Amino acid sequence: MPADRLTSRRFVLGVLLLWALLAQAAYSAFLIYVQINHVPTLPLPFTTAEFSQRIDGLQPGYEHSGLQKGDTVIALNGEPVEGEQELAEFRLRLEEGETISITVDRARDGNRELVTLPVQIHRTSQHVFGWTTIIGLGVLLPLSCLGVGFYIAFGRPFDPLAWITLALLLSFGHVAGSGTSWAIWSPWRELLFIYHPLLSNTWPLWMILFACYFPVPFPWIRRFNWILWLLAVPCALLTALEIYANFESGRHISRVGWIGAFEDSAGLSLTLLFTCYVFAFFFLLVAKKRILPTNDAKRRLQLMIWGFTLSLLPLLPVVLSERGLLPALPIWVTTSCLLMLVLFPITMAYVIVVQRAMDVRMVVRLGVKYAIASTSLRIARLLLILLVAVITADLARQSGHRWEAFAIAGLGTGVILAFGHLARRATNWMDKRFFREAYDAERVLSELSNSVATIRDKNTLIETVSKRIAESLHVQRIAVLLERGERYVPVYARGFNGTQPPIEFRRDAATIRTLKQIHAPSKIYFDDPQSWVHGTSPHEQSALQTLHTQVLLPVNLDNRMLGIISLGPKQSEAPYSKADLHLLGAVASQTGLALENADLTERIRHQIAQRERLDRELEIAREVQQRLFPQKLPLVQGLDFAGYCRPALGVGGDYYDFIRLPDTCLGIAVGDVSGKGIAAALMMACLQASLRGQTIKPCATLSEMIQHINRLVYEASADNRYATFFYAQYDPGARLLRYVNAGHNAPILYRRAGRAPQIIRLEEGGTVIGLFADFPYQEAQIPMRAGDILVAFTDGVSEAMDRLDNEFEEWRLIEAIREAESRTASDIITHVLARVDAFTAGAQQHDDMTLVAIRVNEN
């Protein structure tokens, strides 16, 4: 589609739009002007035939003025009248009570005479429907037709149907009004003299053309287009005659009198001809219904027939009444019939602009509900209150009863205010009585949107939502896609022969980006070149076509899109209405929240199961670790000893051991692995195995043994893992204790020497084990005496903290040993831990606590 052709088409449309706006604005402004200045209530005493100065009727109240039908107006107040311009301008200058002189040419008994009659102007009754007619038919109808027509044409400048629709709407907006007057200001008057005849005389032709092209052209259009040219001849002839008459009748009305006579004589024939055009229009539409390829086109045509029927049929009695074939209609009947014409542009706008047309019954239902419940018509009801008040007050004023006026106005206002409640009840009754299926669908979806939040199982949730949507809207194919990593993949499908559609969407796909941006249900139109779906990749379009997608529902939670629900066509092939999308959007929102709750529930259930499994594993690990501690203490002459470990978690990294050695010696070990939990417990097991392995084949010195253990632990552990370690061997025969302290808290040797006890710390050794591959360790020894108490501990004891983060510290440990110096080794441990617990006072334990107590007794 070349850009220059598009520009030229839109330029032509812009010129036409400017002309139409200027002409229509001039005419509407003139109508409002004459209404404000009460011109309709101060008319000339007579009316003249079209394009003639011959009187063909007298206004009410002037029957006895002396004027007669058939008189020809020659002058007004002595000024000659040669055309319609003088009559129109003179009428605007009339004032109530003014007496004017009317000179007429009267034909009597074959003789002609000039008669001058004085006539006093008086006000005629102004009907309350005047403003309604002016605003409805003189302003709203033509402007709405103009707006809808140009909106369609600008959107589809290369579509012949769009141009036909524009011409039809513009012409239809001028069917109900006279359209021209020489009293309109120049140069707008001249614009209107061409604009109005061009439209008001051609509307039957545009109706025929519209019927031939909507919604698809007849196959025979190209072969028999001469028929359309033939039908255009009467319209073109009448248009040319009226344009000529409009310009000539202003100052030389006698020159166009023959046109008026022609229209009078041919009026009935033209009415019948145009009536045939209208019936031909409906006949063509009905005939086309049989050849339409899609149900959507059939629905559009059905809506068009109903809309045109409701808007045009009331026009027939008005036309017949004006032609004298029916009695004169009351003004309210005429106005009501003419206001039905507003349905014409509304119908045109709907069937051409919307992507999918609804069934007639659904349109009626939504139309009635909108008319009753919409915000805009609430305002209209308030305006109706004012109108009722004006009418009732005017009637009461005419009867002369002021209190009656108030009563009538109040009653009318009360009735309209009560209309809202009655309208809601009527809507519910209408839904249940005539639209049970749609009513049930709305009810089911509303209940579903409220109930999905209570479903906690994800599979049950997805299946329930899909099933209820399918049953309520009669959708055969539904697919649910959820986010899985970087993709959205199907997790449930209905109507695909029991299989999952082999499709997926990446997170960066255009479809996903669009749904995240609009954050609402979106219709999919593959037959609309302007639809966003044509901006997606071929892979995405293929996936959507595989799903038979007509609506995509994003399942959102806040700013996250958890998934997509794809809905295929309804079984009836009816489109998804705005109410459907609103309810589906509510269901999708609640589904998003329910999915998040289901995920959270599943995560909690999984975490609980995992925690229970971990607890079982930790319990097993704790039992295994407890088995690594000495289960039965060896007997050593003259020595009382005990050990205890309290892990901060289920398992820990503290270690103690008592190992029977050859020659009745005893190996004593205390270690503290860096970290806590399973990792520390594993390294502690490695340390225990290394120690036990080294004691089987004793080394020459303890320092050599610790070097071996250090190398083994270094090779078996991570770079950031290490352990503090204290190992000693006690020879009961010599009462000698040899030891190596590898970076551990120095054990405390408590020795009673007089009144003041002696505290000896066993510090000799080297750095922690497992941190360096090779490190030289130093061995030390100390003779033991009867009554000596050796307490080895980990930093979990000395660094235990209370709620104020104060540490227990070694001096408190020494004081606790002093308090229990006369007790057994096991009781010493119990007493020390009791003092620690009393100090911490329930504060959380942050590290494992291990104590080893050894008391040297007399042999």
Side-chain angles (χ1 to χ4, degrees), residues 582-660:
H582 177 74
L583 290 171
L584 289 171
V587 170
S589 297
Q590 293 298 325
T591 302
L593 179 61
L595 276 176
E596 181 68 14
N597 291 337
D599 280 339
L600 180 60
T601 302
E602 183 64 26
R603 287 196 298 269
I604 293 175
R605 187 184 297 116
H606 177 72
Q607 289 176 359
I608 292 175
Q610 187 177 20
R611 184 180 295 276
E612 291 176 350
R613 184 175 66 254
L614 290 175
D615 288 344
R616 289 194 300 270
E617 293 175 354
L618 285 174
E619 181 63 23
I620 294 173
R622 189 186 67 80
E623 292 177 0
V624 170
Q625 188 179 40
Q626 289 297 321
R627 298 291 300 177
L628 296 178
F629 295 130
Q631 301 300 306
K632 184 178 181 181
L633 300 181
L635 296 176
V636 179
Q637 184 179 5
L639 200 65
D640 177 23
F641 55 92
Y644 179 78
C645 177
R646 180 195 289 176
L649 302 176
V651 293
D654 281 10
Y655 167 59
Y656 77 92
D657 204 354
F658 298 110
I659 304 172
R660 179 184 293 275

Side-chain angles (χ1 to χ4, degrees), residues 201-463:
N201 292 306
T202 58
W203 62 270
L205 173 64
W206 304 124
M207 288 184 67
I208 295 295
L209 288 174
F210 184 84
C212 291
Y213 280 87
F214 175 83
V216 293
F218 275 115
W220 48 263
I221 284 293
R222 294 185 179 275
R223 293 179 54 193
F224 299 98
N225 58 359
W226 57 269
I227 297 177
L228 302 178
W229 288 104
L230 185 62
L231 294 174
V233 171
C235 298
L237 178 61
L238 288 177
T239 300
L241 289 176
E242 187 170 342
I243 292 175
Y244 171 73
N246 281 342
F247 281 96
E248 286 294 325
S249 63
R251 296 180 177 84
H252 307 288
I253 197 170
S254 59
R255 297 181 183 178
V256 294
W258 63 274
I259 296 178
F262 168 74
E263 292 186 352
D264 286 342
S265 61
L268 180 59
S269 300
L270 291 175
T271 300
L272 293 177
L273 177 62
F274 282 4
T275 302
C276 291
Y277 277 55
V278 173
F279 279 105
F281 165 79
F282 285 106
F283 173 79
L284 290 172
L285 289 181
V286 173
K288 182 175 287 187
K289 190 174 182 180
R290 300 179 180 178
I291 65 172
L292 292 178
T294 64
N295 288 333
D296 180 64
K298 293 177 181 179
R299 284 193 298 269
R300 290 175 187 272
L301 186 59
Q302 187 73 12
L303 282 168
M304 179 62 71
I305 293 173
W306 277 98
F308 280 14
T309 301
L310 292 175
S311 60
L312 295 180
L313 195 59
L315 193 63
L316 183 60
V318 176
V319 174
L320 295 178
S321 175
E322 289 185 353
R323 295 299 180 182
L325 301 178
L326 288 179
L329 300 177
I331 184 65
W332 66 270
V333 174
T334 302
T335 302
S336 300
C337 292
L338 293 177
L339 287 177
M340 292 296 290
L341 294 173
V342 177
L343 289 176
F344 190 91
I346 295 175
T347 305
M348 296 283 286
Y350 180 79
V351 299
I352 294 180
V353 174
V354 297
Q355 294 291 346
R356 293 289 185 273
M358 291 185 291
D359 183 73
V360 175
R361 295 173 68 247
M362 185 57 65
V363 172
V364 172
R365 175 176 182 262
L366 294 178
V368 172
K369 291 186 70 173
Y370 180 81
I372 293 175
S374 68
T375 303
S376 61
L377 289 186
R378 289 195 186 102
I379 299 174
R381 286 201 298 272
L382 293 176
L383 296 177
L384 185 58
I385 292 174
L386 298 177
L387 180 60
V388 169
V390 171
I391 295 173
T392 52
D394 182 68
L395 294 176
R397 179 181 56 80
Q398 293 178 11
S399 63
H401 300 283
R402 179 177 299 178
W403 292 107
E404 183 180 347
F406 291 140
I408 295 175
L411 178 62
T413 303
V415 169
I416 296 178
L417 289 176
F419 178 74
H421 175 70
L422 296 176
R424 286 190 295 271
R425 298 188 61 179
T427 301
N428 292 332
W429 177 85
M430 180 186 66
D431 283 344
K432 294 178 182 179
R433 178 65 179 82
F434 299 105
F435 307 102
R436 168 61 64 181
E437 182 178 341
Y439 177 80
D440 289 342
E442 289 188 7
R443 180 178 55 82
V444 169
L445 291 180
S446 297
E447 293 175 354
L448 178 61
S449 67
N450 295 327
S451 63
V452 293
T454 62
I455 303 176
R456 291 292 181 263
D457 181 71
K458 183 182 296 185
N459 294 331
T460 303
L461 169 67
I462 294 173
E463 184 175 354

